[in-house]
């Protein structure tokens, strides 16, 4: 079983950058498809980005393409979400998730068995 802990959230102005980290323990992230989801107040949790088990492919929701980059560091057993050109609509709690069954990222949250506790990202205008 893998445990996930997110960090790196904060309050920034529009146009700024943040890098979120998801530190994994218990199992190596190379055994999982990893993803980031986010949930804004009053909204359902939605898929942001995912990276395949091999690390060779990534998937992004349309609203973050060209601005966000998901990556992983096997040696540090950590997955990152680099967020550039942040917008107020990016404000949400960001969650890291792991899926041991699929080799490619799934956009449905129900496919992921393991979740972190979330980190708050607030973007002011």
């Amino acid at each position: 079983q893998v445990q996930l802990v997110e960090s790196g959230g904060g309050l920034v102005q529009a146009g700024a950058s943040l890098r979120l980290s998801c530190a994994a323990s218990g199992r190596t992230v190379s055994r999982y498809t990893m993803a980031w989801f986010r949930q804004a107040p009053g909204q359902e949790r939605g898929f942001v980005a995912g990276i395949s088990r091999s690390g060779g492919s990534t998937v992004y929701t349309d609203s973050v393409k060209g601005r966000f980059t998901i990556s992983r560091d096997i040696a540090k057993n950590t997955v990152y979400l680099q967020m550039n050109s942040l917008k107020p609509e990016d404000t949400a709690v960001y969650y890291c998730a792991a899926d041991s069954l699929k080799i490619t990222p799934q956009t449905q949250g129900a496919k992921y068995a393991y979740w972190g506790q979330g980190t708050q990202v607030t973007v002011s205008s």
Side-chain angles (χ1 to χ4, degrees):
Q1 214 171 8
V2 64
Q3 293 80 44
L4 305 173
V5 178
E6 303 96 333
S7 62
L11 171 62
V12 297
Q13 290 189 330
S17 297
L18 278 176
R19 188 178 76 161
L20 304 184
S21 299
C22 172
S25 61
R27 293 280 179 89
T28 173
V29 295
S30 62
R31 298 184 60 155
Y32 299 88
T33 293
M34 303 294 297
W36 288 93
F37 286 75
R38 65 186 179 186
Q39 186 169 22
Q43 298 185 19
E44 293 187 355
R45 188 166 52 188
F47 177 83
V48 177
I51 186 166
S52 64
R53 187 183 297 175
S54 70
S57 66
T58 55
V59 178
Y60 299 91
T61 192
D62 286 346
S63 63
V64 309
K65 285 180 180 176
R67 299 189 299 123
F68 290 11
T69 302
I70 187 171
S71 63
R72 67 182 192 180
D73 186 328
I74 300 300
K76 295 183 178 180
N77 214 25
T78 299
V79 177
Y80 302 99
L81 185 67
Q82 178 67 43
M83 306 186 295
N84 299 328
S85 302
L86 282 161
K87 304 176 180 180
E89 51 264 44
D90 294 319
T91 295
V93 178
Y94 284 71
Y95 298 91
C96 178
D99 169 23
S100 62
L101 300 180
K102 301 291 185 183
I103 60 174
T104 56
Q106 307 297 301
T107 60
Q108 308 98 312
K111 300 291 186 181
Y112 295 81
Y114 307 101
W115 293 84
Q117 82 290 347
T119 185
Q120 175 71 47
V121 172
T122 303
V123 185
S124 63
S125 58

